[in-house]
Amino acid sequence: MIQKFSEIKIDTEGQRLINISKKIDDFVEKSKINYGILNLSILHTSASLIIQENASKDVLIDLENFFNKLVPMNDSLYLHTLEGKDDMPAHIKTSLTNTNLSLSIIKNILKLGTWQGIYLFEHRIEKHLRSIFCHIIGEK
Amino acid sequence: MIQKFSEIKIDTEGQRLINISKKIDDFVEKSKINYGILNLSILHTSASLIIQENASKDVLIDLENFFNKLVPMNDSLYLHTLEGKDDMPAHIKTSLTNTNLSLSIIKNILKLGTWQGIYLFEHRIEKHLRSIFCHIIGEK
Amino acid sequence: MIQKFSEIKIDTEGQRLINISKKIDDFVEKSKINYGILNLSILHTSASLIIQENASKDVLIDLENFFNKLVPMNDSLYLHTLEGKDDMPAHIKTSLTNTNLSLSIIKNILKLGTWQGIYLFEHRIEKHLRSIFCHIIGEK
């Protein structure tokens, strides 16, 4: 059994889906693990992780709009308003998506579908530095 | 450490929750791994995976109806309309459910609750061939 | 490779987010596994698991309220009403959150963010006894 782990840092600039596939691919390649399972944990509760289409930018905009409509920034809806009008909606959006993802590694390559990309989904409107913990268990 | 993996193919015929527990159980049994963790990855962004009740068919219909109401097929709501009125809603429903599931294997049997079944949730209205990658890490 | 597993039982008393981090931490500590991946499976389809903020109690109330508003207890909306007005909404809320979570263990400590806690999200209004299966794969 080999284990490799690393914390990846991502600068975000407001609500957006950020494709992090390349950074994760680099970590997998560097690990030299051929067969294993990768676990990703975002270490926050106001940004999340999803696997989504990697081709159309409109899909990303539509996702962002859908979630903003579903979880409005309206202080009258929430008790927790101290940290800004976008904070409680960010927590809710995180709970509707994922904080953790597990993926297969086969022949040192992430097993994703042709159209799948890994995204950090930033839900806050200000700049943030986000940490994603990457951990592989596997063998050569 | 033993690793076993396999890609399971499922034919879908429109929006529906399809119980795939039997296929996953078969893979687990064949693997002969007694103790381990199974990771499931659906290799698409318009169909997803969930664990839900395996008894009442009404639960499945209610789930399908809820998601259709929450994420309407209405072109005026989305930029991404090129691939059909059901495509962008399918991406959104996928992001609200799961592309990946991790489950325990104990004594060569999946650790599920009595009422739990594993479902492929097809969100598109046309027929599709879906791939689910199954990967176990464990030992005898 | 070392594997450790245990079933944790939690008494719930109506709809609520219950912080179970301490119980999970205890299991990790007792396992003596230094590096590994922990998989959590809730063995039900009407209660779920999420990682959320561990500081503000208002966040928990807002989450509960949001999900109750999004998925109303209104029999006219559902076919599956036999098990009570809160049962079908509970299944839907489970499908919108998680039945499984995977987390990293580093130096015998769960890799969570400073503000992250692990919660059981009870969606039923009556008392229930809930089971969460905890399974670590790793090494010393």
Side-chain angles (χ1 to χ4, degrees):
Chain A
M1 172 190 272
I2 307 167
Q3 298 195 50
K4 297 280 176 185
F5 39 83
S6 176
E7 200 165 316
I8 291 177
K9 303 277 188 182
I10 315 273
D11 278 302
T12 63
E13 309 201 12
Q15 295 190 315
R16 202 153 310 152
L17 281 147
I18 300 163
N19 192 327
I20 58 168
S21 304
K22 177 74 177 62
K23 282 181 200 284
I24 310 295
D25 284 344
D26 288 349
F27 168 66
V28 170
E29 195 188 330
K30 246 177 147 178
S31 77
K32 290 186 181 152
I33 290 175
N34 276 313
Y35 296 92
I37 289 177
L38 165 70
N39 196 57
L40 298 177
S41 302
I42 191 164
L43 304 180
H44 310 277
T45 61
S46 56
S48 55
L49 298 172
I50 64 169
I51 289 178
Q52 262 299 332
E53 180 172 312
N54 56 17
S56 157
K57 292 206 167 146
D58 284 348
V59 168
L60 307 182
I61 297 167
D62 285 339
L63 277 167
E64 200 186 312
N65 287 341
F66 175 85
F67 278 93
N68 274 335
K69 211 170 147 188
L70 185 68
V71 194
M73 286 185 212
N74 178 344
D75 276 2
S76 72
L77 296 170
Y78 313 111
L79 296 174
H80 178 77
T81 55
L82 260 174
E83 295 174 57
K85 65 175 180 173
D86 59 323
D87 188 56
M88 192 57 222
H91 290 305
I92 294 171
K93 289 171 192 170
T94 298
S95 74
L96 289 167
T97 52
N98 314 286
T99 46
N100 302 81
L101 289 175
S102 283
L103 295 162
S104 287
I105 295 166
I106 303 295
K107 294 185 188 169
N108 193 237
I109 288 172
L110 270 185
K111 189 71 195 167
L112 287 171
T114 315
W115 306 105
Q116 288 186 318
I118 307 170
Y119 289 88
L120 186 162
F121 199 168
E122 176 59 69
H123 304 301
R124 300 298 309 266
I125 53 182
E126 303 282 343
K127 288 183 181 196
H128 278 83
L129 178 62
R130 300 304 194 175
S131 297
I132 297 166
F133 195 79
C134 310
H135 189 158
I136 307 175
I137 286 188
E139 58 199 345
K140 295 223 173 170
Chain B
M1 171 188 273
I2 308 168
Q3 298 195 49
K4 297 280 177 186
F5 39 83
S6 176
E7 200 165 318
I8 290 177
K9 302 279 186 180
I10 315 272
D11 278 301
T12 64
E13 307 201 13
Q15 294 189 316
R16 202 154 310 155
L17 281 146
I18 300 163
N19 192 325
I20 57 169
S21 303
K22 178 72 175 63
K23 282 180 200 285
I24 310 296
D25 284 344
D26 288 349
F27 169 66
V28 170
E29 196 189 329
K30 245 179 149 177
S31 77
K32 290 184 179 154
I33 289 174
N34 276 312
Y35 296 92
I37 288 176
L38 165 69
N39 195 57
L40 299 177
S41 302
I42 191 165
L43 304 181
H44 310 277
T45 60
S46 57
S48 56
L49 298 171
I50 64 170
I51 289 178
Q52 261 300 332
E53 180 172 313
N54 56 18
S56 157
K57 291 208 169 145
D58 284 349
V59 168
L60 307 182
I61 296 168
D62 284 340
L63 277 166
E64 200 186 311
N65 287 342
F66 175 85
F67 278 93
N68 274 335
K69 210 169 147 188
L70 185 67
V71 194
M73 286 186 213
N74 178 342
D75 276 2
S76 72
L77 297 169
Y78 312 112
L79 296 174
H80 179 75
T81 54
L82 258 175
E83 295 174 57
K85 64 176 181 175
D86 60 321
D87 188 57
M88 194 56 223
H91 290 306
I92 294 171
K93 290 171 191 170
T94 298
S95 74
L96 289 166
T97 51
N98 312 288
T99 46
N100 302 79
L101 290 175
S102 283
L103 295 161
S104 287
I105 294 166
I106 302 296
K107 294 185 188 169
N108 193 237
I109 288 173
L110 269 185
K111 191 69 195 168
L112 286 171
T114 314
W115 307 105
Q116 287 186 318
I118 307 170
Y119 289 88
L120 186 161
F121 200 167
E122 176 59 69
H123 304 301
R124 300 300 307 268
I125 52 182
E126 304 281 344
K127 290 183 179 193
H128 278 83
L129 178 62
R130 300 303 195 174
S131 297
I132 297 167
F133 195 79
C134 310
H135 188 158
I136 307 175
I137 287 188
E139 58 199 346
K140 295 222 172 171
Chain C
M1 171 188 274
I2 307 168
Q3 298 195 48
K4 297 278 178 188
F5 40 84
S6 177
E7 200 165 317
I8 292 177
K9 303 278 186 183
I10 315 271
D11 277 302
T12 64
E13 309 201 12
Q15 296 189 315
R16 203 152 310 152
L17 281 147
I18 300 163
N19 192 328
I20 58 169
S21 303
K22 177 74 175 63
K23 282 181 201 284
I24 309 295
D25 283 344
D26 288 349
F27 169 66
V28 171
E29 195 188 331
K30 245 179 149 177
S31 77
K32 291 185 179 151
I33 290 175
N34 276 312
Y35 295 92
I37 288 177
L38 164 69
N39 196 57
L40 299 176
S41 302
I42 190 164
L43 303 181
H44 310 277
T45 60
S46 56
S48 55
L49 298 171
I50 64 170
I51 290 177
Q52 262 300 331
E53 181 172 312
N54 57 16
S56 158
K57 290 206 171 147
D58 284 348
V59 168
L60 307 182
I61 296 168
D62 285 340
L63 276 167
E64 200 186 310
N65 288 341
F66 175 85
F67 278 93
N68 274 335
K69 210 169 146 189
L70 185 67
V71 193
M73 286 186 214
N74 177 343
D75 277 1
S76 73
L77 295 169
Y78 313 112
L79 296 174
H80 178 77
T81 55
L82 260 174
E83 295 175 56
K85 65 175 179 175
D86 58 322
D87 188 57
M88 194 56 223
H91 291 305
I92 293 171
K93 290 170 192 171
T94 298
S95 74
L96 288 167
T97 51
N98 313 287
T99 46
N100 303 79
L101 289 175
S102 284
L103 295 162
S104 287
I105 295 165
I106 302 295
K107 294 184 187 170
N108 193 238
I109 287 172
L110 270 185
K111 190 70 196 170
L112 287 171
T114 314
W115 306 105
Q116 288 186 319
I118 308 171
Y119 289 88
L120 186 160
F121 200 167
E122 176 59 70
H123 304 301
R124 298 302 307 268
I125 52 182
E126 304 281 343
K127 288 182 181 196
H128 279 83
L129 178 62
R130 300 303 195 174
S131 297
I132 297 167
F133 195 79
C134 310
H135 188 158
I136 308 176
I137 287 186
E139 59 198 347
K140 294 222 171 171

